[in-house]
Amino acid sequence: MKVFERLDAAIALTDDERMLLDSLRNVCRDTIAAQAAKNDREGTFPWDNVKALNALGMNAMFIPEAYGGAPLSYTAYLACMREVSKACASTGIIWGTNFHAIKPLIDFGTEEQKLRLLPRMAEGGLASLCITEPNAGSDATGMRTRFTEDGEHIIVNGGKTFITNGDVADVYVLFGKWDGIDDARKAISVLILEKGMPGLSVVRTEEKMGHRASSTATIAFDNVRVPRANLLKNPGDGLAILFASLNKSRPSIAAHALGIARAAFEDSVAYLNERRQSGRRIAEFQGIQFMLADLATDLAGAESWLWALASRIDAGDTDFGTEASMIKMRASDIAMRITTDAVQFMGGYGYTQDFRVERLMRDAKITQIWEGTNQVHRQLIGRSFISK
Ligand SMILES: Cc1cc2nc3c(=O)[nH]c(=O)nc-3n(C[C@H](O)[C@H](O)[C@H](O)COP(=O)(O)OP(=O)(O)OC[C@H]3O[C@@H](n4cnc5c(N)ncnc54)[C@H](O)[C@@H]3O)c2cc1C
C-alpha cells in the first residue's frame, strides 16, 4: 500500500488541516465505520454520526468566518469528504450535501441572507439542494415548480423528488421557475426555504439499493409563502447559479466515490493476502495480480487528478467545468469497478453481508447517476472539444 500512503502524504494540507483530518479519522473509525453496517441494514438515519461530525465543527470548514465559520481549503474539504465516505458513504453524502446546498448561498447570497442563515449551518444544521422533479432529471430545465410573486412574498407550488436530507433539512435551497418568464432556461430562479414553513411537506422517503442510511425524500410545496428576502440574486438567475455550484460539488462527489473505492481496495488487498487456495495466498496468483495492478493504477490516477484539481481551485482557478465533469465521471466509474471486483476477489464470501464490500458495491452505483449521470458528463466533456 506504499503508493497510496505516499499519495496521501503528498496532499497539500496545512498542519492544522492534517490535525483535523487525524481527529476525523479517529471519529470515523470509532463511531462512523463502527455503525455503518447496522445503519445500512436498518435504514436508520445516522444522527449519532451527524452529532459526531458537528462536534468537530465540520460544517464550519466551508463557511466564511464572518458568518460563524472557520474556513479551511477546498483540498481539506475534499480530503474530509473522502475520509467520511470511506467509513460510511451515507454519512459522507449527508454531510457533503450541506456543502453542495449551501455553496450557492455563500457565493450568491446578500449580506443580510448570509448573516441570517449561515450561522445555524456553521453550528451544524442540515441542508438540502432541491433540483430534481419526477419529469425533470438530467434536463433540469423541464422543472415545473412555480414561484409566483405576491407583494413581499413569493408563493411556491410544486414538488421535488430524490432530495437528499429532504426530510431532515433545516434549510432548503430550491430551484423553480418564475411565473411570467416564458423561456424555460431564463425562468429558473432560486429560493431559500426554512424548516417548518407552512405548506412544505414530506411526501415519502425512498427504499434504496445503497446509501440506505441517508434519506432521500419526495417533498411537496403547497402555496408555501416565502419572504422575498429569501430570493437568491434575481428572478431568472437560477441556471447560472446552478452551473457555478455544480462545478464545485462534482469534485466533491468524486471524493465521495474515491472514499468508497479506497475502502474496497484496502479490504481487497487485506483479504487477498490472507485467504489461501491451492496452497498459496490468493494475492500470489498472477491473474489476481493483473486485476490489482489495473485497479491500483486507475485509483492512483484518479486520486492524483483530484488533488491536482483541488490545488488549482484553491489557487483561485475558476475555469474548471470540464475537469469537474472528468473527475466525477472517472472516479465514480472506478468506484463501481473496484467495488465489483472486490466482491469477485472474495468469492462467495464477498456476496454475503459478512464483509462490507457488498455494501460498498451497492453504495458505489449511485455515484455514476447523481450530480449528472455519467452519460451526461461524457456528453459535456465531448462537447467541450467542438470548435466554436
Ligand atoms: C439516492 C439519490 C439521491 C439524490 N439526491 C438528489 C438531491 O439531493 N437533489 C437533487 O436535486 N437530486 C437528487 N437526486 C437526483 C439525481 O440527480 C437524478 O436521479 C439524476 O440527475 C438523473 O435523473 P433521473 O433519475 O430523472 O434520470 P433521467 O434523466 O430520466 O435519465 C435516465 C437515463 O437516461 C440517460 N440520459 C438522460 N439524458 C441523456 C442524454 N442527454 N444523453 C444520454 N443519456 C441521457 C441517463 O444517463 C440515464 O441513464 C438523487 C437521486 C438519488 C437516486
Side-chain angles (χ1 to χ4, degrees), residues 129 131-132 137-138 162-164 208 366 369-370 373 375 379:
L129 183 66
I131 304 164
T132 306
S138 297
F162 292 148
I163 303 305
T164 301
K208 306 189 296 292
I366 189 63
I369 297 172
W370 60 22
T373 68
Q375 284 93 334
Q379 211 171 52

Side-chain angles (χ1 to χ4, degrees), residues 145-181:
T145 294
R146 310 292 313 174
F147 296 165
T148 312
E149 280 182 289
D150 182 19
E152 275 313 291
H153 285 85
I154 295 154
I155 313 296
V156 182
N157 280 294
K160 295 284 169 182
T161 197
F162 292 148
I163 303 305
T164 301
N165 294 345
D167 57 335
V168 289
D170 301 289
V171 173
Y172 297 80
V173 177
L174 174 67
F175 288 73
K177 282 192 180 146
W178 198 264
D179 250 351
I181 303 179

